[in-house]
Each structure stands twice: as structure tokens, then as C-alpha cells.
Amino acid sequence: MRLITLLREETDFIDLVGRRPTIPLKEYVIEQFAEAPGGTVFYFDLSEVREVNGSGIHEVIIKPMEWLNENYKTHNKFLVIKNLSEDFDHYYNILLTCNEEKIAVIAESNGKHLVIGAKVGDALREVLDIVYERKLVSAREISEALDKKHTLISTHLVKLYEMRLVNRQEDFLLEGGRQFAYSSLF
């Protein structure tokens, strides 16, 4: 994973409060996304961040996630959030803003995945949980584990991939054809 530091100066922390002060940071983040090679998994270390509000989250997390979602076909890249702070209500503010904007983002908390945003309903979350539990899995394996139709699981996995919550790779089968394998981002 590749860290995008949110600190722009020689300081110990940054506040993501307000739209105007965070616009240059958003532009920097999107520039980092655009320049990196395909398949790069970026992460924000929120231990660098103290105060946050919806406007700051919108500029620094939501708009970059929207850019990733819109450009996934040409820029196969991902974003993970790490070190959410309860003291500074990171999760709460990110959740509210994600729900408002209908965006989801994946976070790593104590080595486990945490999806933030209501856009991921129970059915998608069930599939996502298996991908993160197994680390690398096919639609067929998930459909067998959940006893659900392969086409339904494939549709869910494509949606999670387009939302930038899981990665995928194409495997060519010896008997002909292809199969996608889906993997967790960490």
C-alpha cells in the first residue's frame, strides 16, 4: 500500500475542516491517483488528522473516491482509510458524509475491514465479508459458500469492484474461457 500523507507542512497533524482549506489537498490527492501505476492501493493515515467535518471529508475523501469510481476502467486504483480516531469522531463524520453522497469507502481497523457508507447493503456486505476473510476468492466459491446463484454473486462482486472496495484479476482457464478472482485491498 502507498501512503498519501495529508500533512502538507512540517506539522504533527492537520484538521480537515471546511471546504476552502481542503480543496488544495483534494487536488493533491487526485494528482497522486492519476500519476500512480494501475493497481495501486493508496491509504490515508488518519492519525495525522485531528478535527474533521462534513465539508473537509467531502473534499478529501468523497471527491477522490468519486474520481476513483468514475475512472476505474482507466485507473485501476483504490483507497483505504487507516487509524480512525474515536476521540475526533472520524468514523461518525465519514459515515454521515458517505451516506449523504451515496459513496462507500473501506477502512482498516485493528487488522479487519470496516466498510463505511450505507451504499453497501446487507447483501453486498455479506459478499464483501467473504472476500476480506478469504483474501482471494472467485464468484463460484462465494456462491457455493452462501448457497446463492453464481450470477447474483458475480453481479455483487462487479458492483464492489466498481465501488473500489475490492480488487480483481482475470484468470484464463485451461479448458478455455476466463474467470475473475476478487481480492481484499489489505
Side-chain angles (χ1 to χ4, degrees), residues 33 42-44 65 68 77-81 105-106 185:
F33 288 170
F42 295 95
Y43 74 96
F44 292 155
M65 281 302 299
L68 289 173
K77 299 162 189 169
F78 307 88
L79 177 64
V80 173
I81 308 296
V105 65
I106 199 86
L185 301 180

Side-chain angles (χ1 to χ4, degrees), residues 130 134 138-150 153:
I130 291 175
R134 296 190 183 182
S138 69
R140 187 165 315 286
E141 292 167 325
I142 294 175
S143 67
E144 289 170 4
L146 296 177
D147 195 28
K148 295 191 177 175
K149 292 188 178 189
H150 179 265
I153 299 302

Side-chain angles (χ1 to χ4, degrees), residues 63-79:
K63 285 188 177 177
M65 281 302 299
E66 288 173 338
W67 188 91
L68 289 173
N69 291 344
E70 291 166 8
N71 294 286
Y72 80 92
K73 289 183 180 178
T74 55
H75 292 273
N76 185 35
K77 299 162 189 169
F78 307 88
L79 177 64

Side-chain angles (χ1 to χ4, degrees), residues 87-107:
D87 294 338
F88 295 107
D89 290 331
H90 291 160
Y91 175 80
Y92 175 77
N93 282 287
I94 295 169
L95 177 64
L96 285 181
T97 310
C98 281
N99 287 347
E100 207 170 274
E101 299 299 325
K102 297 179 177 40
I103 288 283
V105 65
I106 199 86

